[in-house]
């Protein structure tokens, strides 16, 4: 619970505050004083009479009633302090800096539980333990540095790691990224990242609150809560970027299907962020760069952004052009009379094709001219300015021009000032005027591509049109309970076929039998060529259980006999042979997240390249299209090199229908549809398998 005493305490006591600012107890007092805290600051220290100019209490019993307590004492003392201060001194908010709790030992977990019990009993807010504290414009209750510039429209930053929060702040300060608040939640068993977002959402004021949230997450304790409040904040006008650490696995889980081999907690995180509209980042530098992008443009940056590059150095302009193009953005070429008009206003030798190179000898006036031209040209949506110095001249005047143009222009301007050492004073002055700096052009372009490709929040409605939900439930309810011996329970092909039919997912005509004559009759009716597949072994190809292009009854009879001799074979499936582009759809249940749906091209693309996109069921059509179009192999789906594309709308429709099936058949824990065969007219499921736990 987050309360008034935590956010706006009229009085604070630091238990363990000291004169030694090289230790947490002294550093937190220093930061409170340096941050201009206007309330009453009290110190408890049995060995000191005065701490940093403040009279110290030797014992907590001497304290008057106090709003908030910061504990910087050994873990073993914290539970008793919390209980006493809450009961006797009306403390209703605690920040516990100390470590040595559930993050270390079972004994520490017991100490932490006592603290949580006391906070629940007395209605107290708790940040920590094992954190660096809470930094707001009201109070600087942290023991670390740096302390970033704070303003109401700066970034709200929430971190699950104190040390990482410090490093992210270091990265942000060098870029000039301002902050409104910094939350280090520590162990976060009372107030976690989801709880902070919930508070920010439920108390959101668009006129007063920050519109940018940055998150560093080590554990998503409540995915539904995170999804709900992140989505709500984004719909209210906020933008959110996050790092989720700890998504790799040191060892792959035993996988019985392509989906089992590919799907992971990382897929679930990717799907959750996509559904919420959270920009996913993978490093501290990328996170703070995205934060600076958010601060540089209050407008949504559309895909296929047209960028003007103004530079006085050719190489960085070329590298930026390459990086923007790789990220799906455009650097339109400037030609004709417009190019001639601009060139006439710049120094001889200047290049204006875009990048617009005003030369190393370019003046502040030349920079202003180039920016003004780009501002008024319909070719461009945004302007990137690269301007450093070799140390021969001062660039105060140039950066002053850049400052004025950022304020005047309607188009976003992204300043790339690489000379942070040689032109250190000039860059610092520029940042002090409220701007940010992207010192590396490629990092900027990469981060911007991540921002642009992140879709908005998805609709939460379940699409049920064309899906026979009662029939799905009848099929699932009719199944016997799954074995409890830990073996995988894969549904029989006819049951799989019935479930797909109930979901409205088209399947290829097929027959399954352990009677050769039944299969021969079916093949004669549907027409040769056909495909024969063994039933029983999960990985059919690995045991030689697939025969393509069977064109005669004699060939089919031979394949039937061969396949029935395969170990584990129970029957043979015969299907009409179709042709088309191979696609893949899979799903896997991830605890706490729900079903993660994967899509991609089939064959080598899924088996070797793992070119898949993930989404969290249930899915909207917008989400399905976003998943398809984010594939590296999307050009094949769209059509390339004279080959026609597939029916993308139908592919998206099947993805959505599958996600609805999973929503109403939660017993499904893993499934593959691989391949689906697609052409410009239709998409048909050829082979599918479903594992349930009932």
């Amino acid at each position: 619970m987050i309360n008034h005493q935590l956010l706006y305490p009229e009085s604070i006591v630091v238990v363990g505050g000291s004169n030694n600012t090289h230790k947490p107890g002294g550093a937190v007092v220093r930061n409170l004083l340096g941050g201009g805290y206007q309330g009453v600051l009290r110190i408890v220290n049995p060995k000191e009479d005065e701490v940093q100019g403040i009279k110290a209490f030797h014992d907590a019993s001497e304290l008057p009633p106090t709003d908030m307590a910061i504990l910087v004492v050994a873990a073993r003392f914290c539970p008793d302090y919390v209980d006493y201060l809450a009961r006797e001194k009306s403390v209703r908010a605690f920040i516990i800096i100390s470590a040595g709790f559930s993050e270390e030992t079972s004994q520490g977990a017991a100490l932490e539980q006592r603290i949580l019990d006391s906070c629940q009993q007395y209605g107290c807010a708790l940040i920590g333990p094992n954190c660096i504290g809470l930094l707001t414009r009201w109070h600087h209750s942290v023991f670390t540095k740096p302390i970033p510039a704070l303003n109401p429209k700066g970034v709200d930053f929430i971190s699950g790691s104190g040390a990482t929060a410090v490093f992210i702040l270091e990265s942000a300060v060098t870029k000039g990224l301002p902050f409104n608040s910094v939350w280090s939640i520590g162990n976060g068993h009372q107030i976690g990242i989801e709880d902070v977002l919930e508070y920010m959402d439920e108390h959101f004021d668009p006129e007063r609150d920050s519109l940018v949230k940055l998150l560093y997450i080590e554990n998503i304790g409540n995915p539904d809560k995170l999804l709900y409040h992140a989505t709500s904040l984004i719909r209210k006008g906020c933008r959110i970027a996050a790092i989720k650490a700890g998504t790799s696995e040191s060892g792959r889980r035993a996988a019985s299907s392509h989906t089992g081999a590919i799907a992971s907690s990382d897929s679930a995180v990717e799907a959750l962020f996509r559904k919420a509209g959270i920009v996913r980042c993978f490093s501290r530098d990328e996170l703070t760069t995205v934060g600076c992008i958010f601060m540089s443009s209050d407008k949504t940056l559309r895909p296929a952004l047209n960028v003007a590059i103004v530079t006085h150095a050719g190489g960085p302009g070329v590298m930026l052009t390459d990086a923007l193009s790789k990220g799906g953005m455009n650097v339109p070429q400037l030609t004709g009379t417009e190019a001639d008009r601009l060139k006439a206003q710049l120094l001889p030798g200047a290049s204006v094709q875009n990048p617009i190179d005003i030369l190393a000898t370019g003046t502040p006036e030349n920079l202003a001219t180039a920016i003004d031209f780009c501002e008024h040209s319909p070719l461009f949506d945004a302007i990137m300015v690269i301007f450093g110095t070799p140390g021969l001249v001062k660039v105060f005047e140039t950066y002053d021009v850049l400052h004025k143009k950022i304020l005047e222009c309607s188009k976003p301007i992204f300043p790339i000032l690489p000379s942070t050492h040689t032109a250190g004073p000039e860059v610092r002055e520029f940042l002090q005027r409220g701007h940010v700096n992207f010192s590396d052009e490629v990092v900027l372009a990469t981060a911007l591509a991540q921002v642009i490709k992140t879709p908005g929040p998805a609709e939460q409605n379940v699409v049920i049109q064309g899906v026979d939900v009662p029939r799905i439930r009848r099929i699932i309810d009719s199944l016997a309970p799954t074995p409890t011996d830990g073996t995988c329970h894969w549904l029989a092909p006819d049951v799989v076929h019935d479930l797909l039919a109930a979901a409205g997912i088209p399947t290829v005509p097929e027959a399954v039998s352990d009677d050769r004559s039944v299969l021969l009759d079916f093949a004669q009716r549907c027409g040769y060529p056909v495909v024969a597949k063994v039933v029983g072994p999960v990985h059919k190809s690995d045991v030689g259980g697939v025969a393509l292009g069977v064109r005669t009854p004699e060939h089919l009879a031979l394949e039937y006999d061969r396949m029935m001799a395969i170990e584990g074979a129970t029957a043979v499936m015969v299907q009409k042979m179709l042709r088309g582009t191979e696609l893949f759809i899979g799903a896997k249940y991830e605890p706490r997240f729900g079903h993660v749906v994967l899509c991609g091209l089939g064959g080598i693309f899924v088996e070797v390249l793992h070119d898949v996109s993930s989404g969290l069921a249930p899915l909207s059509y917008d989400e399905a299209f976003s998943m398809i179009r984010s594939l590296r192999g999307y050009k094949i789906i769209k059509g390339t090199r004279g080959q026609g594309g597939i029916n993308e709308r139908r592919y998206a429709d099947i993805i959505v229908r599958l996600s609805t099936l999973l929503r109403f058949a939660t017993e499904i824990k893993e499934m593959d549809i691989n391949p689906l065969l697609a052409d410009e007219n239709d998409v048909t499921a050829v082979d599918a398998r479903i594992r349930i736990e009932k």
Side-chain angles (χ1 to χ4, degrees):
M1 57 171 291
I2 296 172
N3 57 24
H4 185 82
Q5 291 91 336
L6 178 66
L7 296 177
Y8 306 105
E10 297 294 337
S11 52
I12 298 175
V13 58
V14 181
V15 180
S18 72
N19 285 305
N20 187 347
T21 58
H22 297 291
K23 292 185 176 181
V28 72
V29 174
R30 174 201 64 203
N31 287 342
L32 281 163
L33 293 173
Y37 174 61
Q38 297 298 305
V40 178
L41 182 58
R42 301 177 177 126
I43 311 293
V44 172
N45 187 318
K47 298 180 181 179
E48 299 281 357
D49 295 325
E50 185 177 283
V51 171
Q52 298 183 46
I54 301 172
K55 181 182 179 299
F57 295 91
H58 290 165
D59 192 273
S61 62
E62 302 170 5
L63 286 168
T66 305
D67 282 350
M68 186 176 83
I70 304 171
L71 304 189
V72 201
V73 294
R76 66 182 184 276
F77 299 125
C78 289
D80 289 339
Y81 268 120
V82 170
D83 180 73
Y84 178 80
L85 291 171
R87 175 167 37 89
E88 301 294 336
K89 302 301 177 180
S90 301
V91 173
R92 291 297 178 264
F94 290 91
I95 297 175
I96 302 181
I97 304 295
S98 316
F101 294 92
S102 61
E103 78 281 1
E104 291 191 7
T105 63
S106 58
Q107 292 85 354
L111 294 175
E112 188 170 337
Q113 189 58 53
R114 286 179 55 197
I115 292 170
L116 291 166
D117 292 343
S118 294
C119 287
Q120 181 176 7
Q121 180 180 354
Y122 297 107
C124 303
L126 172 65
I127 294 291
N130 183 33
C131 68
I132 65 169
L134 173 62
L135 175 65
T136 71
R137 289 178 292 113
W138 188 268
H139 60 98
H140 294 186
S141 296
V142 295
F143 71 90
T144 55
K145 288 185 176 182
I147 304 294
L150 299 176
N151 71 59
K153 293 301 180 181
V155 170
D156 287 319
F157 172 42
I158 315 165
S159 177
S161 164
T164 306
V166 172
F167 299 150
I168 289 172
L169 290 174
E170 290 277 6
S171 173
V173 166
T174 60
K175 295 179 176 69
L177 182 63
F179 286 78
N180 177 55
S181 66
V182 176
W183 299 69
S184 165
I185 63 165
N187 293 353
H189 287 146
Q190 191 208 67
I191 297 176
I193 288 177
E194 300 95 329
D195 302 295
V196 179
L197 283 179
E198 178 183 39
Y199 183 89
M200 291 177 175
D201 180 24
E202 293 179 347
H203 297 81
F204 182 71
D205 180 347
E207 300 299 321
R208 177 176 54 87
D209 292 344
S210 167
L211 298 178
V212 178
K213 320 293 180 188
L214 301 183
L215 315 176
Y216 174 80
I217 306 171
E218 291 189 338
N219 177 56
I220 301 178
N222 190 331
D224 286 342
K225 191 172 185 178
L226 177 65
L227 172 63
Y228 179 85
H229 292 292
T231 298
S232 177
L233 282 165
I234 292 171
R235 287 197 169 126
K236 290 173 181 176
C238 293
R239 287 173 289 182
I240 302 177
I243 296 172
K244 171 61 178 78
T247 53
S248 63
E249 296 175 276
S250 57
R252 281 287 182 187
R253 286 171 287 185
S256 51
S257 70
H258 292 306
T259 303
I262 297 169
S264 66
S265 57
D266 186 64
S267 304
V269 170
E270 185 75 27
L272 176 65
F273 284 11
R274 180 192 299 275
K275 185 176 283 287
I278 296 171
V279 178
R280 188 175 187 188
C281 301
F282 296 90
S283 71
R284 302 189 303 270
D285 198 34
E286 186 178 13
L287 182 69
T288 55
T289 300
V290 169
C292 289
I293 291 170
F294 287 160
M295 298 301 293
S296 298
S297 175
D298 58 0
K299 302 177 181 64
T300 300
L301 299 169
R302 63 178 180 82
L305 191 74
N306 294 317
V307 180
I309 301 172
V310 180
T311 179
H312 70 155
V318 173
M319 288 191 290
L320 179 55
T321 301
D322 290 343
L324 290 170
S325 299
K326 183 179 179 182
M329 289 160 280
N330 304 315
V331 183
Q333 187 175 8
L334 192 58
T335 60
T337 56
E338 288 295 289
D340 294 338
R341 182 169 62 84
L342 175 59
K343 190 173 181 67
Q345 300 176 68
L346 300 177
L347 296 176
S351 173
V352 297
Q353 288 188 334
N354 195 25
I356 299 167
D357 187 349
I358 65 173
L359 303 178
T361 52
T363 65
E365 292 75 20
N366 295 147
L367 178 63
T369 297
I371 293 175
D372 287 341
F373 177 88
C374 298
E375 163 72 3
H376 295 105
S377 171
L379 276 178
F380 307 120
D381 306 311
I383 306 166
M384 295 185 176
V385 177
I386 305 173
F387 211 102
T389 175
L392 300 176
V393 296
K394 299 293 185 183
V395 290
F396 285 109
E397 290 184 7
T398 304
Y399 291 173
D400 185 57
V401 166
L402 186 55
H403 159 72
K404 292 175 181 176
K405 294 304 176 185
I406 290 173
L407 299 180
E408 294 171 2
C409 292
S410 61
K411 295 175 181 177
I413 297 177
F414 299 94
I416 302 166
L417 314 179
S419 302
T420 55
H421 176 72
T422 307
E426 294 97 317
V427 173
R428 284 192 293 273
E429 182 184 276
F430 179 79
L431 298 182
Q432 288 166 3
R433 300 176 86 168
H435 303 298
V436 295
N437 175 32
F438 305 92
S439 60
D440 187 289
E441 59 279 349
V442 175
V443 172
L444 166 60
T446 303
L448 186 57
Q450 194 73 355
V451 171
I452 287 174
K453 78 176 187 180
T454 300
E459 294 297 327
Q460 300 298 320
N461 299 328
V462 181
V463 179
I464 60 174
Q465 185 176 4
V467 178
D468 191 340
V469 175
R471 181 182 172 189
I472 289 170
R473 285 312 315 167
R474 286 196 299 271
I475 295 169
I476 295 294
D477 292 340
S478 68
L479 298 173
T482 53
T484 59
D485 59 1
T487 57
C488 289
H489 185 70
W490 294 91
L491 296 181
D494 59 326
V495 180
V496 173
H497 187 278
D498 288 347
L499 282 172
L500 295 182
I505 298 173
T507 55
V508 65
E510 66 181 31
V512 179
S513 180
D514 59 359
D515 185 329
R516 182 194 298 112
S517 62
V518 170
L519 299 177
L520 289 170
D521 288 344
F522 170 79
Q524 193 65 41
R525 289 196 309 273
C526 76
Y528 289 93
V530 297
V531 177
K533 301 177 183 178
V534 68
V535 176
V538 173
H539 294 292
K540 301 174 178 64
S541 298
D542 293 350
V543 295
V546 177
L548 304 175
V550 178
R551 297 182 177 276
T552 65
E554 293 78 13
H555 186 184
L556 179 57
L558 289 172
E559 291 294 349
Y560 172 86
D561 292 339
R562 183 181 67 81
M563 290 183 185
M564 289 300 292
I566 294 173
E567 183 179 356
T570 59
V572 172
M573 175 191 294
V574 174
Q575 297 174 322
K576 176 66 178 175
M577 186 168 178
L578 302 179
R579 296 190 181 278
T581 300
E582 289 191 3
L583 304 175
F584 161 82
I585 302 177
K588 185 173 177 63
Y589 180 82
E590 281 288 329
R592 294 182 290 121
F593 288 84
H595 284 100
V596 179
V597 179
L598 306 176
C599 77
L601 292 165
I604 189 173
F605 290 95
V606 65
E607 294 176 3
V608 178
L609 302 181
H610 289 185
D611 180 19
V612 296
S613 295
S614 59
L616 204 58
L619 294 165
S620 67
Y621 279 96
D622 285 345
E623 287 179 279
F625 281 117
S626 174
M627 291 166 62
I628 294 168
R629 291 167 186 172
S630 67
L631 293 166
R632 296 194 301 275
Y634 175 62
K635 289 183 179 179
I636 296 174
I637 290 174
K638 196 174 181 181
T640 185
R641 290 181 177 254
Q643 292 186 344
I646 71 159
N647 189 328
E648 188 177 336
R649 174 75 191 184
R650 189 66 182 125
Y651 189 23
D653 183 61
I654 292 175
I655 293 171
V656 171
R657 288 172 180 271
L658 175 68
S659 78
T660 303
L661 165 65
L662 297 167
R663 169 65 178 79
F664 292 101
T666 56
E667 295 87 348
I668 295 175
K669 301 306 178 187
E670 189 176 339
M671 71 177 295
D672 278 347
I673 306 179
N674 185 33
L676 299 98
L677 290 178
D679 57 25
E680 66 276 9
N681 298 314
D682 209 352
V683 180
T684 304
V686 174
D687 196 3
R689 48 198 166 183
I690 297 176
R691 181 175 69 83
I692 67 166
E693 292 178 9
K694 184 183 177 187

